[in-house]
Amino acid sequence: MCGTICVRLEPRLVEVGERLSASELSLCDDEEQVAREYSLALDAYTAAGKLFDEAAEPVELAGVSALLDIAVRHFAVASARHEGKHAPHRRGRCFYNPLHDAAAHTGPDAAHKPKKRQRRNSPTGRGPAVSMCAECRRRAQANLPLDVLPAAVSVKVGRRTRALVEVPYFAVPHDRSIWSATGYGSLPGSSDAELVRRVMHGEYRRPGKDSVISISTKKRGWLSGRRG
């Protein structure tokens, strides 16, 4: 799986780098906000390259994809504002799998009356809605399993036993994963700048699958269903 993702990401990493280097902005002294957007774009690209070189698992490669999205989006905003244009509409990432297409919707659809037992657009079925790509939203409306990005963790399955299993990346405790803690920058209270900063500080190297993690019964329920 990592090999397939790398094949998809490597040319995009090159393409984004070429776009940034070929379109260097010459900013005026009064363009502080533009400068911040441009700086974040460059930092995000640097973080993406750093993570790509060290990534060993799909959750980390998804981080590369998210960081490239951040670089492209903030560069587009900086360019538009530098030219006196409106900033382009922001499209978030799919919370359930950042390797999917960009989010098609955030929040409930006022034109769609949900079924009585339809799954909410949130990882637990309650709480604030999260951004979803069109395919995940279609599956959620049909109560079908979602193609959730997995993370490998060592889970306690008994008093003295444990097993290495795949769980939804967001089921990993926040202190064990910056991806779970931030939803790849998509969760309320998180931000693109925070994700870039934490990757640059190497926080993705914190213990993951090599540490025993207790997963709640509700979250373990994800393990019994397929992800696609």
Side-chain angles (χ1 to χ4, degrees):
M1 183 174 181
C2 286
T4 302
I5 300 173
C6 284
V7 169
R8 290 167 47 195
L9 283 179
E10 189 166 12
R12 186 169 180 234
L13 191 68
V14 173
E15 187 272 330
V16 173
E18 291 177 345
R19 186 189 310 183
L20 293 176
S21 61
S23 306
E24 185 174 351
L25 301 181
S26 298
L27 305 180
C28 301
D29 293 339
D30 60 348
E31 294 185 284
E32 293 182 3
Q33 187 173 11
V34 176
R36 284 195 294 270
E37 295 284 352
Y38 185 40
S39 178
L40 180 54
L42 295 177
D43 288 346
Y45 179 74
T46 300
K50 170 186 173 67
L51 184 58
F52 183 80
D53 289 340
E54 300 181 12
E57 300 181 43
V59 286
E60 294 170 339
L61 290 169
V64 175
S65 181
L67 289 164
L68 290 175
D69 288 344
I70 292 171
V72 170
R73 180 169 60 250
H74 287 274
F75 178 72
V77 171
S79 297
R81 289 178 172 165
H82 177 62
E83 297 171 4
K85 301 176 181 179
H86 290 294
H89 175 69
R90 171 174 177 167
R91 295 186 66 191
R93 288 173 291 282
C94 179
F95 168 81
Y96 291 100
N97 193 327
L99 293 170
H100 289 173
D101 293 335
H105 185 76
T106 301
D109 187 345
H112 175 76
K113 185 175 181 180
K115 298 176 183 179
K116 184 176 181 181
R117 299 183 62 187
Q118 180 184 331
R119 183 191 300 160
R120 284 177 52 85
N121 292 2
S122 80
T124 60
R126 62 180 184 274
V130 293
S131 55
M132 311 173 74
C133 67
E135 177 61 16
C136 280
R137 185 175 178 230
R138 182 191 69 79
R139 285 176 171 269
Q141 290 175 346
N143 287 320
L144 296 174
L146 304 184
D147 177 28
V148 177
L149 179 69
V153 295
S154 183
V155 178
K156 290 181 179 178
V157 294
R159 180 175 296 181
R160 298 181 179 179
T161 59
R162 64 181 186 179
L164 188 65
V165 299
E166 287 187 344
V167 300
Y169 82 88
F170 51 78
V172 180
H174 290 185
D175 62 345
R176 299 286 182 177
S177 167
I178 64 171
W179 317 121
S180 173
T182 66
Y184 291 87
S186 69
L187 286 178
S190 183
S191 68
D192 291 345
E194 178 196 7
L195 184 62
V196 170
R197 176 186 60 78
R198 295 183 70 172
V199 170
M200 292 297 285
H201 287 175
E203 293 188 34
Y204 54 89
R205 299 193 189 96
R206 286 184 176 178
K209 68 179 181 180
D210 294 329
S211 299
V212 180
I213 297 174
S214 296
I215 303 295
S216 70
T217 302
K218 175 169 287 190
K219 290 179 179 177
R220 285 183 190 179
W222 283 86
L223 301 176
S224 61
R226 60 188 180 90
R227 295 190 307 277

